[in-house]
Amino acid sequence: MYLTPPPRIHGWVESGFEPVREAFQNNFAEHGETGAAVAVHHAGRPVVDLWAGTRDPETGAPWESDTLTLVFSATKGVTSLVLAHAHSRGLFEYDRPMAHYWPDFARHGKGRLTIGELLSHRAGLPYLDTELTPDLLADHDRLAQVLADQAPAWKPGTRHGYHSVTIGLYVNELLRRVDGRTVGAYLAEELAGPLGLDLYVGLPARIGDERLARLTGGSWRDLATDPTAVPLGHVLARCLPWSIAARTFANPPLRTADELAGPAYRSVELPHGNGFATARSLAALYGEFAQGAPILGVRDESLRALEERPAPPREGERDVNLKVRTRYSSGLWKPFPEWRFGTDDRAYGSPGAGGSFGFADPATGTGYGYVPNRMGLRIWNDPRDVALRGALDRCLATVIP
């Protein structure tokens, strides 16, 4: 039990959504929240927009309405919605081979691998043998050669395993081939601009440190306080340097997770993991898609691809990297028995290291965004997020006839 009095909660909730505010306040009193924001879009409008706590625990600077947070792999969800928008414009087809748009990709037996298989983490390309330095990541042409030269770790399409870093790099090159823009540029011009979002892949130079939340916690030492937070099989695999899991998560070679927010990495676009967002922007983006994208004009075919429940890979849903059952489609996580979010299997979203999460629930027309700066350890179902989503579910059960 945390004895520090909860901070003042800023923002507002629409009538009927007060339980979300109560859960948010309880997170500071009961779950050790430091600073955070949560937002919900429902039926085409914002209904929850809350923030509280400290942006920088070292200085005591408060979390503000426009505080931006590094959301780690919640960036993958944003990238996937960018790709869905590009698909809606006819720039590519999910069921076509990557090599159709990028001939060099066909090397090492990857010629038949489809875009859909890549986005479902079935490509067998969860790691790269070449070290990912900031200079390499910023050099798109040189990086494209490294990506094309990588041999798969398993026969593409037969298994799935979380492509923690590589999925964003491959998607970025695909988009460059079919559109000419990077994920960050496409996001800014085609999605964030029309929707008025404070949401970036890579941080623009004009945004200073005074707007960024400082991340705390999240070290492996914290596992001593919650040994069930990460699947044991994954922890053991990470200890074996030759394992797929260890090779996946060791490149780029970061000393700490929040190094992605430092000057060396935040200035380059990493569509897998260096998105910076406010909770309201995550909620607004997912809310737009949950409503059928009336502002962005995304085609029904592209929306259905996000909502479909994927068929499992031939060798089952046990994740090669995470060592538990998982489910992915079109670059997004889908609900499965061990992790339920949204109303039904049409829901989709992406969690980020430390606890951030954004998702769309098409069944209720709802978008959700949660961003904290005290990093938890759970891959999903962080207790803070669980409390907020549980409160939201109760509210939606009341306001939806």
Side-chain angles (χ1 to χ4, degrees), residues 62-87:
W63 196 290
E64 305 285 0
S65 172
D66 64 349
T67 292
L68 289 165
T69 315
L70 176 66
V71 297
F72 296 101
S73 284
T75 311
K76 291 182 177 67
V78 175
T79 295
S80 299
L81 299 185
V82 165
L83 213 58
H85 186 278
H87 176 266

Side-chain angles (χ1 to χ4, degrees), residues 54 69 98 145 268 313 323 328 369 373:
T54 55
T69 315
M98 284 277 286
Q145 291 301 310
V268 297
K323 306 301 182 184
Y328 311 104
N373 66 344

Side-chain angles (χ1 to χ4, degrees), residues 234-265:
H234 176 69
V235 174
L236 295 176
R238 292 279 292 271
C239 295
L240 304 174
W242 59 87
S243 72
I244 292 176
R247 298 172 77 179
T248 295
F249 292 94
N251 192 15
L254 304 175
R255 293 184 299 274
T256 61
D258 63 354
E259 194 175 345
L260 284 178
Y265 286 100

Side-chain angles (χ1 to χ4, degrees), residues 30 111 210 219 242 308 338-339 355 361 387:
E30 299 177 5
E210 72 281 355
S219 74
W242 59 87
E308 289 175 351
E338 290 80 8
W339 186 34
D361 184 6

